[in-house]
Amino acid sequence: MKKSFFIFLFGICSIFTAFAQDTVVKGSVKDAVTNEPIPDVTITVEETGQTEKTDGLGQFKFSQPVPFGEQMLKISKPGFLPKRYPIVVNEGKTVDIQDMTLEIDRGSQADLFTITLSDDELNDDTSGSDNISGLLSSSQDIFQRTAAFEFSSSFFRVRGLDSDNGSVLINGIEMNKFDTGRPQWSNWGGLNDVVRNQELTVGLKPSDYGFGGVLGTTNINTKASDYREGGRITYSSSNRSYTNRLMASYASGLMEDGWAYTIMMGRRWGDEGYQDATLYDSNSFFASVEKKINDKHSLNFTSIYTPNRRGKSSANTQEVIDLKGIKYNEFWGYLDGEKRNSRIKEVEEPILMLNHSWDISSKTSLNTNIGYQFGKIGNSRIDNAAGANPSPAYYQNLPSYYLADDDGPNFAGAYGAEQEFLNDGQLNWLALFQANANKNLGGDTAAYALYEDRTDDKTLTLNTIFRTELNDNIVLNATANYSKLTSDNFAEVIDLLGSTVGASNVDAFSQKQFDLLNPDRIIQEGDKFRYNYRIDANELSGFAQAQFKYNKIDFYLGGSVTKTDYQRDGLFKNENQVLRNADGSIRVDNSSGKGDKLEFTGIGAKAGFTYKISGKHLIDVDAGYLTEAPTLRNTYTNSREAQDYVGKFFGNTIEGVDLTEEKTTSLDVSYIFRSPIVKARLTGFYTKIEDANEVSFFFTQGSTTGFIQETLANTDKKHIGAELGIEAQVTPTIKLKAAASLGQYTYDNNPLVYFTSTSEDFLGVDENQNEEVRSGAVYQTSLKDYRVAGGPQGAYSVGFEYRDPDYWWFGATANYFTNTYVDISPLARSTRFYQDTDGLPYTDYDPEFARELLKQEKFDDYMVVNLVGGKSWKIGDKFVGFFASVGNILDKVYRTGGYEQGRTADYRAIKEDAQNPKQVFGSRYFYGRGANYFVNVYYRF
């Protein structure tokens, strides 16, 4: 306290007459323990909101005039306890506050949740668990922090938007994937100590690194000299995704010879997490080396390698959950006394980066970066080429199937199925080996094989980032970026499950060759089969932005242009994708070779302002319009087999469907209040998305039977709502906090949906020329005003934090979620729903009953209570500490999401299923975890 008091007096008294008559406010910030300068500390004038950041030497200087009189400076940086320093500004004088100090936050709640988020909710990139929390974890805004740390377990999406609406960069290089538009979080998973240096801009706010998306931009800085000197060893235990984690890191700081390095290693492992047989096996390696050549130039090399394997879990129908509980996972069974999961996701994509920083002058900088990422993503599953569906939860193995018997309920069969499922209900690996052994006796190919769907990407990125301060009020930013992707996609057999012959490369459903270039080929382990193609993608973009800062108003303008192109190159000739002449010769090959080159031009424009009514009251407005290329996943409708893309099928144009750029219009208006005790923000937002495409795949039966590619084309969505965040430091040790989000996210038009398939229902013969022809089926949907699924559309949180001066702390929150909806089937909301095979409405169609059948399911509201706390000790200049969290302490059972099955999607089939004693093809659901924990112990030196 004495040291802080003298620093305070020094700050007040450090006003002296400068040679010039300009009023200057400057100073420096150091670590209170090591006395080392701290870079990237945010210095804020609380009355005006003016901000500056410290440089690599811990120095700062305000570029704009600070108002005369008494002012309050706030200094803050993630991982440190914020401080406030009063100053007095006199005209023509210089305020020079050197050696302000920050203390490391030994009980950082953000530290805990950064660890649990990046290791846990962010790992899975499926639609059922897409999560934007990683974009928000470094935010200082109370609502954004609550969304990241409290709402994430319910897969809440800020403003109802997916994570592809935000940009994640490492050292200025964008990490969002061409395929999904989302970042692959596991590419830097387990490296928590070295990915803490983050710069976040929320929403459309200006970023120095690029235009970003409507959810904002997060840049992770891995420059070796920016890490605090010292090391850290951490051990963690949890029952969420893994059971054990061990990490060690060390940073040299900038040494006298101009070199700096930072290294880290980590391991996370466990036989299963919260759900059954969800194994976790991950290693993490990081190295960053920097050479400061002189005062103007530095080079930094970063390498990241985080190979990881994790077992997947299944979405289940309510019938399955009622029998086996929310931890049940249909993908595993015992083999040699151990649980073996058939669905393993393996990610191994190293990242290499070289970054050159050039400080052209004290106000102008140019950063040039090159990044290269390569490796593989594999998702395993069982191929049942000549065997029954091996899933223990297959509908024909469940009681509902016997109760829906055409001859009336088969109660004996239902009871037998129920007992079998209750007593076992897991994948029978031995039965698969036995089926293959039987095939071996006849010299036949395998009935079952385990294979991986592989994506082997190589991505090269080059960019340059320019920043200059034209004067004390104007900053200009500009970037130029080029990215090139080569993506090899194929299926590879990884285990023949005892077959000595090999696997077949023939489609079990259509009995056609997967590759006519090598017909009847017998597949061995390590061979590619089923599909094999390459995608080439290129993206060239430019961005410019101007930021203006004045005493009463700040505003910005930004614009971008992006050119994107895709091209598919088929390496297999799939027999399902050829059309033959009357003599059997191939007339159309829609599979092999290079397809059309698809080109897109995206533009972006955004502007906003902050009007400072006073130091306590501000009005903030942001608006933007973006057009961008659709992701690869939503461009090609069946890329594994065909050249088809949205609007094209076997080279024919689908009327009314247009492959074009996706368009987003966004506006938000905020009122911000801030005082030494209370900080609050209330925001209203509106986002309109137009011409979006959604491509999905499933098996259907009814008036059409077969494997279907469903394309929902040129879809519009509207997201409207409000956000509130408020926190109050009611005493020096107690903080109260609350946050709320209420939105309405709906489809805003009735788009066309069309279906393509290799099913015989889509194959015909031209009567005039006796040639094979294929056609898609196009239907009008009635999706307008249905809710867009994706987590709760209403979320509310209240809580408190207590921080004791003796470095122990405790917090609790209660979080309430409402308006969570199932993901609806567009097929069931199309004209096909009520049409018979002749195109006329069913004769028994009842509109009132149909309306009830198609009512979107809304899940029950629920509340989740979380606890968190910790303690740390200082031993000399070392620190030892622990923290822990208990999630869902009341063990509430709740649904986080789900989707309707498309297997039955016409009126008669859905009606029949709904009238069964138990629904056979009910929706599949995702459930949140029950009571769970995370414990962390660390030693910092």
Side-chain angles (χ1 to χ4, degrees):
M1 292 295 294
K2 289 182 179 180
K3 184 176 181 181
S4 298
F5 179 71
F6 284 119
I7 292 174
F8 165 79
L9 290 180
F10 182 71
I12 293 294
C13 298
S14 293
I15 305 172
F16 59 93
T17 303
F19 293 106
Q21 295 301 306
D22 292 338
T23 302
V24 177
V25 176
K26 63 180 183 178
S28 67
V29 182
K30 292 186 175 182
D31 188 298
V33 175
T34 66
N35 211 35
E36 293 294 321
I38 307 176
D40 296 320
V41 177
T42 301
I43 318 295
T44 305
V45 180
E46 291 195 341
E47 179 179 337
T48 64
Q50 294 167 259
T51 62
E52 294 291 343
K53 284 198 171 185
T54 57
D55 59 19
L57 299 176
Q59 299 285 333
F60 72 91
K61 178 181 177 182
F62 277 92
S63 58
Q64 304 173 53
V66 176
F68 302 144
E70 296 182 358
Q71 300 292 338
M72 186 68 71
L73 293 184
K74 178 182 177 181
I75 61 175
S76 61
K77 182 179 180 178
F80 291 81
L81 293 170
K83 281 190 177 180
R84 300 166 71 243
Y85 287 85
I87 61 173
V88 177
V89 181
N90 293 318
E91 184 176 4
K93 304 293 184 179
T94 295
V95 181
D96 189 2
I97 313 174
Q98 294 293 322
D99 298 339
M100 292 188 291
T101 62
L102 282 180
E103 294 181 6
I104 292 175
D105 186 354
R106 295 195 235 160
S108 172
Q109 184 174 359
D111 187 42
L112 169 64
F113 280 106
T114 298
I115 289 170
T116 58
L117 279 172
S118 59
D119 284 353
D120 191 7
E121 281 86 3
L122 302 179
N123 265 321
D124 200 341
D125 62 353
T126 63
S127 61
S129 60
D130 177 49
N131 202 296
I132 48 75
S133 302
L135 302 173
L136 308 174
S137 59
S138 62
S139 175
Q140 298 301 302
D141 177 82
I142 178 60
F143 175 81
Q144 302 288 340
R145 291 203 316 272
T146 302
F149 303 151
E150 303 294 343
F151 296 164
S152 61
S153 62
S154 293
F155 299 110
F156 171 82
R157 299 178 183 179
V158 171
R159 303 184 185 181
L161 299 172
D162 295 341
S163 60
D164 58 354
N165 288 279
S167 297
V168 175
L169 307 94
I170 299 179
N171 297 336
I173 294 177
E174 186 164 355
M175 303 307 296
N176 295 56
K177 294 282 191 176
F178 278 94
D179 180 37
T180 63
R182 304 170 184 165
Q184 180 70 46
W185 304 102
S186 55
N187 284 158
W188 50 90
L191 295 174
N192 310 90
D193 292 352
V194 294
V195 295
R196 301 180 194 280
N197 294 337
Q198 298 183 15
E199 184 175 337
L200 170 70
T201 57
V202 176
L204 292 167
K205 288 294 183 189
S207 167
D208 288 353
Y209 304 98
F211 190 90
V214 295
L215 281 181
T217 302
T218 298
N219 182 64
I220 301 171
N221 176 15
T222 66
K223 287 184 62 176
S225 63
D226 286 346
Y227 293 100
R228 183 180 61 86
E229 181 181 354
R232 180 180 177 126
I233 299 173
T234 303
Y235 172 77
S236 309
S237 177
S238 177
N239 70 338
R240 295 174 180 170
S241 288
Y242 52 79
T243 53
N244 300 278
R245 185 189 64 173
L246 186 63
M247 301 189 306
S249 61
Y250 182 77
S252 69
L254 186 61
M255 297 180 287
E256 291 184 1
D257 57 1
W259 286 92
Y261 65 89
T262 300
I263 56 175
M264 181 175 177
M265 294 184 293
R267 174 157 174 75
R268 296 164 291 163
W269 72 97
D271 292 334
E272 64 183 3
Y274 184 80
Q275 289 172 297
D276 295 340
T278 49
L279 71 91
Y280 205 107
D281 182 14
S282 174
N283 297 301
S284 304
F285 305 95
F286 172 92
S288 179
V289 180
E290 182 178 3
K291 171 61 177 177
K292 189 174 177 62
I293 300 170
N294 53 41
D295 290 340
K296 291 184 178 293
H297 295 275
S298 69
L299 280 175
N300 192 93
F301 175 76
T302 299
S303 60
I304 299 172
Y305 180 47
T306 58
N308 62 86
R309 298 171 66 247
R310 64 197 306 259
K312 293 184 176 183
S313 58
S314 56
N316 300 312
T317 63
Q318 193 59 48
E319 177 185 15
V320 170
I321 293 164
D322 290 341
L323 291 171
K324 300 289 278 189
I326 64 173
K327 293 185 178 182
Y328 175 73
N329 179 11
E330 69 176 87
F331 297 149
W332 72 274
Y334 282 105
L335 183 63
D336 296 330
E338 297 183 355
K339 293 180 178 179
R340 182 179 182 184
N341 194 321
S342 63
R343 300 284 185 98
I344 301 293
K345 179 172 184 178
E346 185 171 0
V347 179
E348 189 174 338
E349 295 187 303
I351 301 170
L352 304 174
M353 290 184 179
L354 183 64
N355 312 100
H356 173 249
S357 299
W358 179 18
D359 292 329
I360 300 172
S361 69
S362 61
K363 295 187 176 182
T364 303
S365 64
L366 182 69
N367 293 330
T368 303
N369 312 294
I370 179 170
Y372 183 63
Q373 184 175 19
F374 59 98
K376 66 176 184 178
I377 298 177
N379 290 277
S380 69
R381 62 187 302 137
I382 293 172
D383 175 48
N384 55 312
N389 191 318
S391 169
Y394 185 56
Y395 77 99
Q396 293 181 10
N397 297 330
L398 298 175
S400 58
Y401 175 73
Y402 293 90
L403 296 175
D405 195 292
D406 291 338
D407 297 327
N410 180 351
F411 293 108
Y415 178 77
E418 179 185 75
Q419 294 305 303
E420 175 69 21
F421 192 67
L422 285 172
N423 295 328
D424 185 5
Q426 299 304 148
L427 184 64
N428 190 340
W429 285 104
L430 290 180
L432 306 188
F433 278 87
Q434 185 59 53
N436 283 350
N438 293 336
K439 290 286 186 177
N440 291 340
L441 295 176
D444 297 325
T445 54
Y448 300 96
L450 188 68
Y451 74 95
E452 262 189 337
D453 289 311
R454 282 275 296 275
T455 300
D456 291 11
D457 284 352
K458 300 179 182 68
T459 306
L460 175 68
T461 303
L462 306 169
N463 75 4
T464 187
I465 302 171
F466 177 77
R467 185 184 190 276
T468 186
E469 298 178 22
L470 294 184
N471 53 43
D472 290 343
N473 305 106
I474 303 174
V475 174
L476 291 182
N477 306 101
T479 69
N481 183 89
Y482 172 71
S483 294
K484 177 178 178 58
L485 166 72
T486 300
S487 179
D488 291 313
N489 300 263
F490 52 89
E492 179 180 286
V493 173
I494 56 177
D495 192 337
L496 285 170
L497 304 179
S499 172
T500 57
V501 178
S504 169
N505 202 24
V506 174
D507 188 328
F509 190 76
S510 67
Q511 291 301 305
K512 293 184 177 181
Q513 298 283 337
F514 281 124
D515 185 17
L516 285 171
L517 300 176
N518 295 281
D520 298 316
R521 183 185 177 204
I522 304 301
I523 305 300
Q524 304 300 324
E525 291 179 4
D527 289 345
K528 298 174 182 177
F529 83 138
R530 298 182 68 90
Y531 64 92
N532 186 10
Y533 69 96
R534 173 174 291 172
I535 293 285
D536 292 308
N538 295 277
E539 183 177 273
L540 179 64
S541 63
F543 157 72
Q545 174 181 269
Q547 303 178 61
F548 305 84
K549 295 186 177 182
Y550 299 94
N551 287 340
K552 294 294 289 184
I553 190 169
D554 298 340
F555 62 95
Y556 67 90
L557 300 167
S560 68
V561 177
T562 305
K563 296 284 291 184
T564 307
D565 65 71
Y566 305 144
Q567 188 170 36
R568 179 187 182 276
D569 186 4
L571 304 178
F572 278 5
K573 180 181 287 189
N574 191 302
E575 192 176 8
N576 287 312
Q577 299 297 330
V578 301
L579 296 179
R580 297 183 182 275
N581 297 307
D583 61 2
S585 60
I586 294 176
R587 179 170 58 88
V588 176
D589 175 9
N590 191 42
S591 180
S592 63
K594 290 185 180 294
D596 294 343
K597 191 171 187 177
L598 309 179
E599 298 182 336
F600 307 91
T601 300
I603 60 170
K606 63 180 181 179
F609 68 87
T610 300
Y611 179 68
K612 306 161 193 175
I613 302 172
S614 68
K616 293 183 176 180
H617 305 277
L618 298 89
I619 299 295
D620 192 81
V621 178
D622 302 286
Y625 177 77
L626 302 77
T627 70
E628 55 189 347
T631 62
L632 285 170
R633 182 168 296 184
N634 289 322
T635 297
Y636 291 97
T637 56
N638 186 15
S639 58
R640 291 182 176 181
E641 294 187 358
Q643 307 287 13
D644 299 334
Y645 50 89
V646 173
K648 288 283 187 178
F649 180 57
F650 271 83
N652 299 314
T653 299
I654 296 178
E655 186 176 352
V657 177
D658 184 25
L659 178 61
T660 185
E661 293 80 10
E662 186 174 307
K663 305 165 184 66
T664 303
T665 304
S666 187
L667 171 69
D668 61 65
V669 180
S670 300
Y671 165 70
I672 300 169
F673 175 82
R674 58 192 184 197
S675 73
I677 296 176
V678 177
K679 294 179 177 61
R681 174 175 66 84
L682 175 63
T683 299
F685 61 85
Y686 168 87
T687 300
K688 177 72 176 289
I689 298 172
E690 299 173 281
D691 288 327
N693 303 316
E694 297 178 13
V695 179
S696 55
F697 310 88
F698 53 88
F699 184 88
T700 186
Q701 64 187 55
S703 58
T704 298
T705 299
F707 289 99
I708 298 292
Q709 297 89 47
E710 176 191 84
T711 302
L712 190 62
N714 305 126
T715 308
D716 296 350
K717 303 174 186 178
K718 181 169 65 177
H719 297 239
I720 188 169
E723 301 166 347
L724 173 67
I726 184 170
E727 60 182 354
Q729 192 75 49
V730 293
T731 74
T733 57
I734 297 176
K735 178 187 290 185
L736 303 180
K737 55 186 182 178
S741 175
L742 180 61
Q744 181 174 290
Y745 317 134
T746 58
Y747 290 98
D748 204 41
N749 70 337
N750 292 317
L752 292 177
V753 62
Y754 74 91
F755 309 94
T756 56
S757 176
T758 57
S759 167
E760 295 300 316
D761 291 332
F762 291 84
L763 178 63
V765 177
D766 186 284
E767 294 181 355
N768 296 321
Q769 301 184 39
N770 199 29
E771 297 172 338
E772 286 184 336
V773 293
R774 279 198 179 272
S775 61
V778 184
Y779 302 98
Q780 185 74 51
T781 67
S782 54
L783 293 183
K784 185 174 171 60
D785 296 330
Y786 274 98
R787 296 293 183 114
V788 176
Q793 300 193 9
Y796 311 89
S797 177
V798 293
F800 74 91
E801 297 175 12
Y802 174 81
R803 292 182 177 271
D804 192 270
D806 197 27
Y807 296 105
W808 65 269
W809 56 282
F810 175 79
T813 56
N815 307 287
Y816 188 74
F817 301 95
T818 67
N819 296 342
T820 307
Y821 293 86
V822 76
D823 195 2
I824 59 175
S825 165
L827 180 57
R829 275 86 181 169
S830 71
T831 50
R832 178 191 180 280
F833 173 73
Y834 58 82
Q835 288 179 354
D836 208 337
T837 53
D838 58 5
L840 298 176
Y842 288 119
T843 56
D844 58 345
Y845 182 73
D846 182 346
E848 289 300 321
F849 192 72
R851 189 174 296 110
E852 190 64 27
L853 289 176
L854 298 181
K855 184 178 180 180
Q856 188 173 16
E857 182 182 4
K858 179 182 176 183
F859 302 155
D860 292 338
D861 300 345
Y862 58 94
M863 184 173 71
V864 176
V865 177
N866 301 324
L867 303 180
V868 65
K871 166 70 176 170
S872 66
W873 297 267
K874 183 180 179 184
I875 305 173
D877 59 350
K878 313 294 191 297
F879 296 94
V880 176
F882 82 93
F883 44 78
S885 73
V886 180
N888 193 10
I889 193 170
L890 301 181
D891 202 26
K892 179 68 176 177
V893 176
Y894 60 93
R895 293 173 179 168
T896 60
Y899 59 91
E900 294 177 348
Q901 295 195 65
R903 192 176 186 110
T904 55
D906 64 77
Y907 173 73
R908 285 179 176 170
I910 294 178
K911 178 183 177 181
E912 179 182 347
D913 197 26
Q915 292 175 334
N916 286 326
K918 280 183 177 290
Q919 197 172 2
V920 179
F921 299 112
S923 297
R924 288 182 173 265
Y925 301 109
F926 301 98
Y927 275 75
R929 296 187 181 96
N932 58 86
Y933 73 91
F934 183 92
V935 178
N936 194 79
V937 180
Y938 66 89
Y939 170 65
R940 187 166 59 228
F941 56 93

